[in-house]
Amino acid sequence: MTTLLVIAKQPLPGRVKTRLTPPFTPQQAARLAEAALADTLHTVAAAPATRRVLVLDGAPGDWLPAGFEVLPQCAGGLDERLADAFAHCSGPALLIGMDTPQVTPELLTVDFADCDAYLGPAEDGGFWALGLAEPDPALLRGVPMSTPGTGAAQRERLETAGLRVCELPRLRDVDTAADARAVAALAPHGRFAARLADCTPVSPR
């Protein structure tokens, strides 16, 4: 089976989901981030895996379910931090972030029998998931992150290395208030949707 990695930040006001402010306050944005992270971690806990690892910038809280190893993120850009996460894996691994609380265990149940890598494109041009049958940090280092071309650049890196790439369904990250509403509608019974329903925007958007 596969190691499942979640890369995340501790959900503290002013450090997470800053594009949600406005219309939400930093405190509301942090609570939304915590709910998204909790939904993601509980989904990972329900998916088959040999290891479940949270690669965390910050300290864990009561939102962390049992059964996870916690590793600190390394210093450097996002490409370096993702590369380092894979460096802690010795077999097939799938990495996701904390921005897609609508993810399901089925989406995380991958089979590397017919491909060497999985890429889950995000609607903003990035990617929400990356899976490697043989984790190699060099496949991520130097890939430009957080741009509209990140997903395409990562796919090109994988294909240039001669890997057979399978594509996961396209998902929407939670970055803006519009994203939050759309994602909550896709997973109306989750923690994220419930938390969003409790948040009253301080300004319209």
Side-chain angles (χ1 to χ4, degrees), residues 111 114-121 131 155 163-168:
D111 183 355
D114 296 318
C115 63
D116 307 304
Y118 279 89
L119 190 67
R155 173 180 278 278
L163 303 186
R164 299 167 298 165
V165 181
C166 292
E167 189 164 293
L168 294 168

Side-chain angles (χ1 to χ4, degrees), residues 4-200:
L4 293 178
L5 302 157
V6 180
I7 189 160
K9 288 182 179 181
Q10 182 183 359
L12 296 175
R15 294 195 67 242
V16 291
K17 294 294 157 216
T18 55
R19 291 175 62 188
L20 291 177
T21 57
F24 299 106
T25 67
Q27 291 74 22
Q28 288 173 325
R31 289 195 292 271
L32 288 168
E34 179 180 321
L37 178 55
D39 277 344
T40 300
L41 292 172
H42 280 82
T43 295
V44 170
T50 52
R51 294 171 66 203
R52 296 173 181 86
V53 182
L54 173 62
V55 186
L56 184 64
D57 176 0
D62 57 9
W63 37 261
L64 178 65
F68 281 80
E69 302 171 47
V70 180
L71 299 176
Q73 288 186 29
C74 73
L78 182 55
D79 62 318
E80 290 288 347
R81 288 178 279 139
L82 296 180
D84 184 69
F86 279 106
H88 289 88
C89 302
S90 59
L94 180 72
L95 179 145
I96 66 171
M98 60 185 285
D99 298 336
T100 52
Q102 74 273 38
V103 71
T104 64
E106 291 74 21
L107 288 174
L108 303 182
T109 306
V110 295
D111 183 355
F112 286 96
D114 296 318
C115 63
D116 307 304
Y118 279 89
L119 190 67
E123 288 192 6
D124 63 4
F127 60 87
W128 65 269
L130 177 64
L132 298 173
E134 297 182 7
D136 179 359
L139 292 170
L140 292 108
R141 292 192 178 110
V143 174
M145 295 288 164
S146 303
T147 77
T150 292
Q154 185 63 69
R155 173 180 278 278
E156 182 180 4
R157 176 68 67 86
L158 299 173
E159 292 176 342
T160 298
L163 303 186
R164 299 167 298 165
V165 181
C166 292
E167 189 164 293
L168 294 168
R170 185 178 301 272
L171 295 185
R172 184 169 183 167
D173 288 336
V174 174
D175 290 320
T176 66
D179 295 330
R181 290 190 291 269
V183 168
L186 293 172
H189 304 297
R191 296 167 184 80
F192 182 79
R195 186 62 53 82
L196 181 65
D198 288 337
C199 289
T200 301

